[in-house]
Amino acid sequence: MATILVTGCDTGLGVEFARQYAGDGHRVIATCLDPATATETVAIRGNIEVVKLDVTDHTAIEALSRRLRHDTIDILLNNAGIGRPHPPFGETDYALWDRILQTNLLGPMKMAESFVEQVGRSEAKMMAFISSRMGSIALNNSGGSYAYRSSKAGLNMIVKTLAVDLAPRQICVLALHPGWAATEPGGRVPVAESVAGMRGVIHRAGPHHTGSFVTYHDQPLPW
């Protein structure tokens, strides 16, 4: 069975990724900000280890990588992220913007750099990044959400660049849009459906899919 490292397993998509992968018998390393409050994740049965990790803490990421230095990680699933609130133009919260960039952009990059060796010697050789349709420049017809949009657009650029740089190692790098998942008010896509769809995309992908930006039902999105 595969080993999957998932960030952001405190709530929502992260919890469901951990639940589904563990339910299928895989080994799951589920990171969260505070295991003491991540009750849903802690309650998951199976081969799962819940680990405290803040992806904005680069020292902690490096420490986890050292602890897992002899392991193989088939799928590095960079799920941790924040978005709301979305202050309108003229009311920008720059401290919040900085926190969003640290979490959604720099954190995933640090995870990729820190765990590339473990992924590179695995069988699946997969790095998946949870992006968003809101990071698509071509599809931005509604404006607003400056901090969140910029973080996901930047993440998409990281994915595309990693795909080029890691191609010699046969590592597949994907950006995935989960749909408007029901992790917040108004969300229309059931969380289990979103995660199952993204898992399917990951499972079907190979080196020739690297650098793709696709939806949870495997439809390509423009950058």
Side-chain angles (χ1 to χ4, degrees):
M1 288 295 179
T3 296
I4 297 94
L5 172 55
V6 188
T7 64
C9 294
D10 302 82
T11 59
L13 296 174
V15 176
E16 188 61 24
F17 271 118
R19 180 183 293 118
Q20 290 192 20
Y21 275 119
D24 283 348
H26 299 290
R27 177 194 178 202
V28 177
I29 303 166
T31 79
C32 54
L33 290 171
D34 186 1
T37 59
T39 53
E40 284 188 86
T41 306
V42 171
I44 295 172
R45 300 177 67 87
N47 187 5
I48 180 170
E49 178 185 2
V50 182
V51 178
K52 179 180 175 64
L53 182 69
D54 181 343
V55 298
T56 68
D57 184 343
H58 293 189
T59 299
I61 292 175
E62 291 169 357
L64 181 59
S65 178
R66 286 194 299 272
R67 182 162 76 79
L68 299 174
R69 63 187 177 278
H70 299 304
D71 293 54
T72 57
I73 295 174
D74 293 273
I75 303 171
L76 173 61
L77 216 167
N78 286 287
N79 167 74
I82 54 176
R84 293 184 181 275
H86 301 299
F89 178 76
E91 300 177 20
T92 299
D93 182 337
Y94 288 96
L96 172 63
W97 197 333
D98 181 71
R99 187 161 66 90
I100 288 174
L101 291 176
Q102 292 290 333
T103 305
N104 296 2
L105 184 62
L106 301 186
M109 180 64 184
K110 182 62 177 177
M111 290 292 295
E113 287 188 316
S114 298
F115 290 95
V116 66
E117 297 301 328
Q118 292 93 326
V119 174
R121 62 173 174 260
S122 73
E123 183 174 344
K125 301 181 187 295
M126 171 64 65
M127 291 187 183
F129 297 74
I130 304 306
S131 184
S132 172
R133 186 180 187 277
M134 291 182 70
S136 169
I137 293 174
L139 295 177
N140 182 4
N141 298 312
S142 58
S145 304
Y146 291 89
Y148 185 71
R149 286 186 187 279
S150 65
S151 73
K152 293 301 186 180
L155 181 66
N156 287 349
M157 179 58 80
I158 284 176
V159 166
K160 190 67 175 176
T161 306
L162 282 174
V164 174
D165 290 345
L166 300 183
R169 303 194 195 195
Q170 296 293 296
I171 293 174
C172 182
V173 188
L174 301 176
L176 303 175
H177 169 53
W180 190 9
T183 56
E184 59 181 35
R188 299 169 183 169
V189 181
V191 173
E193 178 183 336
S194 172
V195 168
M198 289 187 285
R199 287 184 61 207
V201 173
I202 290 169
H203 178 73
R204 292 187 295 272
H208 57 292
H209 293 103
T210 195
S212 298
F213 179 26
V214 297
T215 69
Y216 71 100
H217 36 52
D218 213 3
Q219 297 300 306
L221 288 171
W223 300 108

